[in-house]
Amino acid sequence: MNYATHTQQAIPTSSRDEQALAQAELYSHLESQAEAVAPTQNPLTSRDRRIIGEIIEVQPESIRTIWIEGGITVWVQLVGGGRLPFDRDWFATRVAQVKATLPETPRERNERLSNELEEACTVFGLYHGEINWLSFSTKLYQDGRFVGFVGCNQQSWYARPRQYGVNRVAASAEQVIASLGVRAAVAA
């Protein structure tokens, strides 16, 4: 009876490096294809990234995501690879401290105001035209009919029924829209 004996041959170093490079290239390609087919929704906002970046002293763009493991450890995943573990309670305390001192960027302010305006428009059954992001102002419509102008400056929300005239001022988008005489939409 014949027996075959197999021996393992050493792979030359350059061949191993080429294989590792090809494998990394394949993984990168697969990851980009998966992202194109089903983009992942990242729960972190730019403000979240700024807060975390301030805490761990890195650029906000270098933070990929965070998660809590076992209810005890907060893990921060970095874009370039690597993970950093932190105690959950310590991390939460630092987030609160940084959040209290970190000023809102103009973009974050516009996002917050836009969300508030969208919610108020939903309550009243309104829609708005294109927003002027520099002054944060727009026109409001209901059933194709012009209702008025609404905007927000550094102090408060304002509205007026015509292009020129006195602004009506209120603390929230919903209150200022109500000041235009619009009634809340009734569910059918």
Side-chain angles (χ1 to χ4, degrees):
M1 194 170 216
N2 293 338
Y3 293 98
T5 306
H6 298 284
T7 58
Q8 185 133 7
Q9 294 180 345
I11 300 173
T13 305
S14 65
S15 177
R16 239 185 284 159
D17 292 343
E18 289 174 8
Q19 183 178 5
L21 184 61
Q23 191 69 38
E25 200 174 303
L26 174 64
Y27 286 146
S28 175
H29 177 71
L30 289 174
E31 189 175 293
S32 68
Q33 293 298 313
E35 184 69 22
V37 171
T40 56
Q41 295 290 348
N42 196 322
L44 296 178
T45 64
S46 61
R47 184 165 176 80
D48 294 336
R49 282 182 170 60
R50 285 180 50 218
I51 291 168
I52 296 166
E54 182 79 19
I55 292 169
I56 64 175
E57 298 177 2
V58 299
Q59 292 297 317
E61 305 82 42
S62 68
I63 298 166
R64 178 172 281 173
T65 191
I66 67 169
W67 70 94
I68 298 176
E69 185 176 331
I72 299 170
T73 306
V74 173
W75 285 92
V76 177
Q77 173 76 45
L78 301 174
V79 170
R83 297 177 181 150
L84 300 171
F86 299 95
D87 175 71
R88 182 196 66 181
D89 295 333
W90 177 86
F91 198 81
T93 301
R94 287 293 294 136
V95 165
Q97 291 169 346
V98 171
K99 207 182 243 188
T101 62
L102 196 64
E104 187 177 51
T105 66
R107 180 178 181 171
E108 292 166 345
R109 176 184 180 272
N110 281 347
E111 287 174 357
R112 177 178 53 80
L113 294 175
S114 178
N115 290 339
E116 185 177 345
L117 179 62
E118 290 297 328
E119 290 173 15
C121 283
T122 301
V123 168
F124 291 96
L126 301 173
Y127 63 95
H128 59 80
E130 190 171 325
I131 295 174
N132 177 334
W133 295 105
L134 292 176
S135 64
F136 199 86
S137 60
T138 187
K139 296 177 180 178
L140 296 179
Y141 300 92
Q142 186 174 46
D143 300 325
R145 183 181 59 84
F146 175 74
V147 174
F149 294 90
V150 68
C152 190
N153 57 28
Q154 295 300 328
Q155 290 80 34
S156 60
W157 284 92
Y158 63 88
R160 61 184 178 274
R162 291 170 302 288
Q163 179 148 5
Y164 302 106
V166 178
N167 286 342
R168 299 168 185 178
V169 180
S172 72
E174 193 169 328
Q175 291 171 347
V176 83
I177 290 171
S179 76
L180 290 171
V182 181
R183 302 218 172 174
V186 180

